[in-house]
Amino acid sequence: MGTNNRGGSAGFCRVLKNDDNGTILVYPEFSGNRLYQTLGNLQTTPKAGIIVPDFDSGDVLHLTGTTEILIGKEAADLLPRSNVAVKVQIEDARFIQNGLTFRGIAGEPSPYNPPVRFLASEGRSSVDVQKVNDRTAYAKLIKKELLTPTIGRFRFSISDPEVVGRFKPGQYVALAFEDELGAGYSHMRDDDPSSLNDDLVRSFTVSSSGRGGTPEDEVEITIRNVGKVTAFLFRQNVRAGLEVPMKGFSGTFAIHQDEDEIIPFVAGGIGITPLLAQLPDLDLRRIRLIWTMNITDIGLAIDTFERYPPLATSTMLYLSGAADGGQEGLQTTLRLEQHGARVCKRRLAASDLLSIQGLPALSSTWYICAGPQLRQALLSWLSDRRVIYESFDY
């Protein structure tokens, strides 16, 4: 018998089923000491008892059930991006209030915790075409443009478009960097703990529309340099011929514009990318873009308006840090205004959303793509509106 901890980021254990016919839980097996003692015990005797303590309230949930170990394709089909997973069919449960004789104080989450892996049925993970097709498609870097010191546009050619299919505007592409950046197995890695359970698969919103200047066997992403993989891409020389496996396209952040409908879209910095892919299909005269960014990202705005001139006149741009930009910042602001954008040198406020020209009071659907902090504020400000949002969390 073994007694072992299983943990991770909040939500690491997923509920596959919970109805009158029973409950099934699934969790991924993360990198460990490679002794596989727990899995060996479950293979020999597929029974488990699970204790879920709540250190704030003192309540305890006791579960017992039958286990099934999923390996390789079986694991990935159920819990994408997992090589090993455990499925538990719950047979009995007991909830005990105040069952703990002590309380705990939450500390800092372990840096070894990988991001939550969602069930395939939840529709939040990219389709892994390599798991369902004998052929593998590769993305080859063919063009790189730096728009600001930390934002760049990268274009890839697709080796076998038939394998991955054609993307739809509003989707993201998942690329695998394990061959380029994988460091192999280690039990602990204190110098870079987040890499231990990192599969090095990254999802990027497609910023090309597939119409006009982008051939059907190419895809473009516009990204910020914020981590190991993006830093690797920013260092690349196009002539080096980088090729990485493609996992596929996924996501459904599509903007629907009915006849005569005005669409408000709020973007935080790089959050403009899902809109870029859909601009050719929209009437830009009936778009109200509220775009907030730091003045250091202004090159992205200038590039966007030069590529899509009609968008500028439908844009209200809120610039933080503009007051400290000096003469150069003033010239840049004037350049934006010459494109037709309205510029406000301060942060976005709730009152700004209530004074958008031509927008009906409650009827419009709002679209949002922003980081967690801004998104939370926007959802609070727009609590009485219908909101569809894309996050940076996938």
Side-chain angles (χ1 to χ4, degrees):
M1 186 178 99
T3 302
N4 294 280
N5 174 70
R6 287 296 182 269
S9 301
F12 84 96
C13 184
R14 311 306 295 171
V15 179
L16 177 64
K17 175 185 175 183
N18 185 28
D19 55 29
D20 293 340
N21 296 318
T23 299
I24 301 177
L25 306 180
V26 181
Y27 65 85
E29 280 288 320
F30 298 139
S31 177
N33 57 16
R34 285 194 165 181
L35 297 178
Y36 300 107
Q37 291 175 323
T38 301
L39 292 178
N41 287 337
L42 296 180
Q43 182 70 22
T44 302
T45 308
K47 296 287 184 181
I50 300 174
I51 299 175
V52 185
D54 185 332
F55 295 110
D56 290 326
S57 67
D59 298 338
V60 185
L61 177 63
H62 294 262
L63 305 169
T64 57
T66 300
T67 62
E68 179 184 355
I69 300 172
L70 307 176
I71 299 175
K73 185 177 184 302
E74 280 191 317
D77 285 348
L78 188 63
L79 203 63
R81 300 169 68 167
S82 298
N83 292 319
V84 181
V86 176
K87 185 162 64 172
V88 185
Q89 172 77 56
I90 302 301
E91 296 173 347
D92 203 357
R94 292 288 185 274
F95 179 73
I96 302 176
Q97 287 186 311
N98 216 20
L100 296 179
T101 59
F102 61 92
R103 300 294 182 268
I105 299 175
E108 288 294 321
S110 169
Y112 285 94
N113 287 343
V116 171
R117 299 174 188 174
F118 297 97
L119 294 167
S121 59
E122 294 178 89
R124 297 183 62 176
S125 299
S126 60
V127 176
D128 190 346
V129 296
Q130 297 180 51
K131 299 293 184 183
V132 298
N133 198 305
D134 293 334
R135 291 141 54 191
T136 299
Y138 289 86
K140 180 179 180 179
L141 181 62
I142 59 174
K143 188 176 182 180
K144 180 177 79 169
E145 300 173 83
L146 295 184
L147 307 179
T148 78
T150 61
I151 295 176
R153 184 165 52 237
F154 299 79
R155 182 176 292 195
F156 297 85
S157 62
I158 303 172
S159 65
D160 194 342
E162 185 180 334
V163 173
V164 294
R166 185 60 175 154
F167 69 84
K168 299 176 182 177
Q171 290 191 308
Y172 58 82
V173 59
L175 305 176
F177 292 86
E178 173 66 30
D179 294 342
E180 303 293 334
L181 297 174
Y185 169 79
S186 62
H187 183 205
M188 302 291 283
R189 195 173 293 155
D190 291 338
D191 60 325
D192 188 13
S194 63
S195 68
L196 194 63
N197 287 294
D198 187 352
D199 60 5
L200 294 169
V201 174
R202 296 293 187 271
S203 300
F204 305 101
T205 301
V206 176
S207 57
S208 53
S209 67
R211 294 172 50 185
T214 308
E216 290 194 0
D217 62 347
E218 295 179 5
V219 64
E220 203 167 70
I221 60 176
T222 304
I223 60 175
R224 186 185 296 279
N225 187 353
V226 292
K228 177 191 299 185
V229 170
T230 51
F232 171 74
L233 284 174
F234 272 71
R235 292 195 303 268
Q236 289 301 302
N237 187 317
V238 173
R239 290 177 294 178
L242 172 70
E243 284 189 300
V244 294
M246 292 187 68
K247 294 290 186 178
F249 298 105
S250 191
T252 56
F253 188 54
I255 301 170
H256 300 283
Q257 188 179 48
D258 294 331
E259 186 177 356
D260 298 327
E261 182 183 11
I262 295 176
I263 297 293
F265 189 103
V266 186
I270 198 69
I272 191 69
T273 49
L275 178 62
L276 296 180
Q278 301 178 67
L279 288 177
D281 300 316
L282 300 171
D283 182 351
L284 301 189
R285 297 170 300 176
R286 294 186 287 109
I287 292 291
R288 298 293 181 267
L289 173 60
I290 303 96
W291 195 0
T292 177
M293 64 171 59
N294 189 279
I295 195 169
T296 56
D297 292 338
I298 207 69
L300 174 61
I302 292 173
D303 175 80
T304 299
F305 296 148
E306 288 178 346
R307 299 180 85 194
Y308 306 98
L311 181 63
T313 56
S314 298
T315 300
M316 187 67 200
L317 194 61
Y318 291 85
L319 294 178
S320 59
D324 303 323
Q327 186 63 29
E328 183 179 351
L330 177 61
Q331 292 176 352
T332 303
T333 301
L334 290 174
R335 188 176 173 186
L336 289 168
E337 291 174 339
Q338 287 170 357
H339 278 287
R342 290 165 293 164
V343 179
C344 194
K345 299 176 185 178
R346 60 172 174 81
R347 294 183 180 275
L348 179 68
S351 58
D352 298 318
L353 305 182
L354 304 177
S355 58
I356 298 176
Q357 184 180 6
L359 192 65
L362 296 174
S363 60
S364 292
T365 297
W366 287 70
Y367 293 85
I368 293 174
C369 187
Q373 187 173 357
L374 176 58
R375 183 176 73 243
Q376 184 177 3
L378 289 167
L379 291 175
S380 174
W381 298 343
L382 299 170
S383 58
D384 59 344
R385 315 295 173 93
R386 181 171 183 260
V387 177
I388 298 175
Y389 65 87
E390 176 75 290
S391 71
F392 299 159
D393 306 337
Y394 50 74

